[in-house]
Amino acid sequence: MSKYSITEFIRQTEQNDQQKDFFELETPRMLEVNLRNFVWAKAGSMVAYNGNIKFEREGILEHGLGTLFKKAFTGEGASLMKATGAGSLYLADRGKKIIVLELNNETIFVNGNDLLAFEPTVKHEIKFMRKVAGMMAGGLFNIRCSGYGLVAITSHYEPLTLHVTPGNPVFTDPNATIAWSGNLTPEFQTDISFKTFIGRASGESIQMRFEGSGFVIIQPYEEVYFQQSQS
């Protein structure tokens, strides 16, 4: 049989039915969810499914009135959908690499644009970084995931994890920052001299500073999902 035959292509790319965990990485860029009840996923991330599955956007009152204000400002990057039913659901996000993490009574913050899906057992809360609102048009959103269960995040190309230790802060570009450990609280700072040198439109003039003990996950790509304020 030719290595370029349709039969050979199907053999190399067909789905793997041998495992049936809740989350299965069919390819490094395609996540299969073996749905039995419901799952939270990034709005618009469904690429295929079989079975009886219903999709609906996260309701603005899903988590009470306290979330209503936050959701009014989130935009697409932090929009979630609920997939309910039984079947196989396939998720992807612009060909980005998918990483599955299991929380064991742990907390992780994920950039709102890089959260693909998470189990119903994982608690989530949208966080708006108000301090950066004056630097960036629209501010910056992330999602706090905590408790127990699987969380799928995405990265352009291979991610890198940086360790943060006391006395050795880590500085990152907000557009390249995917996630960080729950015990870290980033601060935003503006590098005035750098901004003056290369122009106000540069994203590198605004940096995230992580200090304490924990980790930060970055990607080798500046994913611009907000624009720098020109005021």
Side-chain angles (χ1 to χ4, degrees):
M1 181 182 3
S2 169
K3 64 180 180 180
Y4 299 120
S5 68
I6 293 178
T7 300
E8 179 62 16
F9 173 79
I10 293 174
R11 187 190 68 80
Q12 292 184 14
T13 61
E14 64 187 351
Q15 67 183 106
N16 181 7
D17 286 328
Q18 294 180 358
Q19 297 178 321
K20 283 296 181 182
D21 291 336
F22 188 70
F23 281 178
E24 292 288 346
L25 280 174
E26 286 293 327
T27 75
R29 304 175 192 278
M30 184 83 68
L31 178 70
E32 178 185 8
V33 182
N34 292 300
L35 199 59
R36 296 178 289 273
N37 186 4
F38 75 91
V39 68
W40 290 108
K42 183 177 182 178
S45 62
M46 184 276 290
V47 293
Y49 72 91
N50 59 51
N52 184 17
I53 301 176
K54 177 182 177 182
F55 301 91
E56 57 184 341
R57 281 189 178 267
E58 183 180 21
I60 60 174
L61 298 179
E62 187 83 37
H63 307 289
L65 290 172
T67 307
L68 177 60
F69 173 79
K70 296 177 184 178
K71 290 194 67 60
F73 293 92
T74 55
E76 290 303 308
S79 295
L80 297 173
M81 67 178 181
K82 180 189 284 188
T84 306
S88 295
L89 170 63
Y90 298 91
L91 303 176
D93 185 11
R94 293 176 292 172
K96 295 163 67 177
K97 182 179 176 63
I98 300 171
I99 304 101
V100 177
L101 305 172
E102 183 173 7
L103 299 184
N104 184 19
N105 195 26
E106 296 165 298
T107 298
I108 187 172
F109 286 92
V110 183
N111 182 313
N113 205 45
D114 300 315
L115 182 63
L116 181 63
F118 53 91
E119 284 193 272
T121 53
V122 174
K123 299 177 182 178
H124 74 285
E125 180 182 2
I126 295 174
K127 295 288 187 177
F128 175 45
M129 295 183 175
R130 288 183 174 84
K131 290 184 179 180
V132 77
M135 303 178 190
M136 295 290 194
L140 180 66
F141 291 89
N142 59 73
I143 300 178
R144 181 181 187 269
C145 297
S146 62
Y148 297 85
L150 298 174
V151 177
I153 65 177
T154 59
S155 171
H156 283 282
Y157 312 106
E158 300 298 325
L160 176 68
T161 299
L162 304 175
H163 291 284
V164 182
T165 57
N168 295 289
V170 170
F171 301 86
T172 66
D173 183 329
N175 294 308
T177 306
I178 297 173
W180 57 92
S181 51
N183 56 319
L184 296 179
T185 301
E187 294 290 335
F188 286 83
Q189 66 180 42
T190 303
D191 190 326
I192 301 298
S193 60
F194 197 46
K195 173 186 284 189
T196 303
F197 179 68
I198 61 178
R200 291 179 57 85
S202 170
E204 285 80 0
S205 62
I206 296 178
Q207 303 160 355
M208 297 177 78
R209 174 190 173 103
F210 295 90
E211 192 162 14
S213 181
F215 63 86
V216 182
I217 305 173
I218 60 173
Q219 62 184 355
Y221 185 93
E222 294 185 49
E223 186 172 16
V224 180
Y225 58 96
F226 51 72
Q227 297 297 319
Q228 184 171 354
S229 172
Q230 297 299 311
S231 61

